[in-house]
Amino acid sequence: MALKLMVFYLKNKHFTLLFLLFLWVYNCKNEEKLAEEQPIEKTVEYEMYKPSEMSIFMNAMYAYNLSLKAQIVAGETPTSMPLDLLKLHSAEMTDGKGRTENWQSFVNVFIASQEAVADTLSNTELKVRYNNAITNCLNCHKTECTGPIPKIKKLLIQ
């Protein structure tokens, strides 16, 4: 069958040339269409990090304790606690985290130690009370959320 077609095209050179010309023109038009088509732009949507209530509150506590450290090092005595520490019990946790029994026990000890820092009637030295509160932060973060430990360690007064 293929041999018969080849013999037909060789005998009919005009038909063969016409057929090749048709293929060439058709191919050129396809290339033009491909060149005219615009590439499809894909838009990428990024999800912005949205911190949880607990994360925001922890950052506020860090900032407060950093300023508290500066006051204590400067020889000043804090007299009030501007943060509502009970918010620790109700703030929305970071996704995938929960309030375990271990966490509950740590948070109650932390609240008491943080309030003791502002206790002007305490017989314990202010630097010791402050470092106790920061140590309680570290103890909790050693079991629950280890990421901020290096940052928290910088809060200790040497």
Side-chain angles (χ1 to χ4, degrees), residues 77 113 116-133:
T77 304
S113 65
V117 174
D119 183 6
T120 55
L121 301 175
S122 178
N123 294 331
T124 310
E125 184 185 352
L126 180 58
K127 178 181 168 183
V128 172
R129 288 182 281 153
Y130 172 80
N131 278 341
N132 284 341

Side-chain angles (χ1 to χ4, degrees), residues 71-102:
Q71 283 180 332
I72 294 168
V73 169
E76 299 172 20
T77 304
T79 57
S80 66
M81 181 69 188
L83 295 174
D84 179 15
L85 294 176
L86 295 179
K87 206 175 209 179
L88 286 169
H89 291 291
S90 62
E92 176 191 336
M93 300 290 275
T94 303
D95 289 341
K97 303 287 182 184
R99 289 179 172 84
T100 63
E101 286 182 34
N102 193 32

Side-chain angles (χ1 to χ4, degrees), residues 48-116:
M48 295 297 292
Y49 168 71
K50 186 178 177 185
S52 66
E53 282 182 279
M54 185 60 73
S55 177
I56 292 168
F57 189 71
M58 291 285 176
N59 283 326
M61 282 194 309
Y62 175 80
Y64 169 73
N65 281 308
L66 192 61
S67 68
L68 200 58
K69 177 182 178 180
Q71 283 180 332
I72 294 168
V73 169
E76 299 172 20
T77 304
T79 57
S80 66
M81 181 69 188
L83 295 174
D84 179 15
L85 294 176
L86 295 179
K87 206 175 209 179
L88 286 169
H89 291 291
S90 62
E92 176 191 336
M93 300 290 275
T94 303
D95 289 341
K97 303 287 182 184
R99 289 179 172 84
T100 63
E101 286 182 34
N102 193 32
W103 186 87
Q104 291 289 358
S105 64
F106 276 120
V107 79
N108 291 328
V109 171
F110 170 73
I111 289 172
S113 65
Q114 191 74 53
E115 288 174 343

Side-chain angles (χ1 to χ4, degrees), residues 34-49:
L34 291 175
E36 290 175 6
E37 290 180 13
Q38 296 291 332
I40 298 172
E41 291 184 30
K42 294 182 180 179
T43 57
V44 178
E45 292 185 30
Y46 295 101
E47 268 188 51
M48 295 297 292
Y49 168 71

Side-chain angles (χ1 to χ4, degrees), residues 97 141-150:
K97 303 287 182 184
H141 279 278
K142 285 177 185 175
T143 62
E144 297 298 322
C145 177
T146 58
I149 288 177

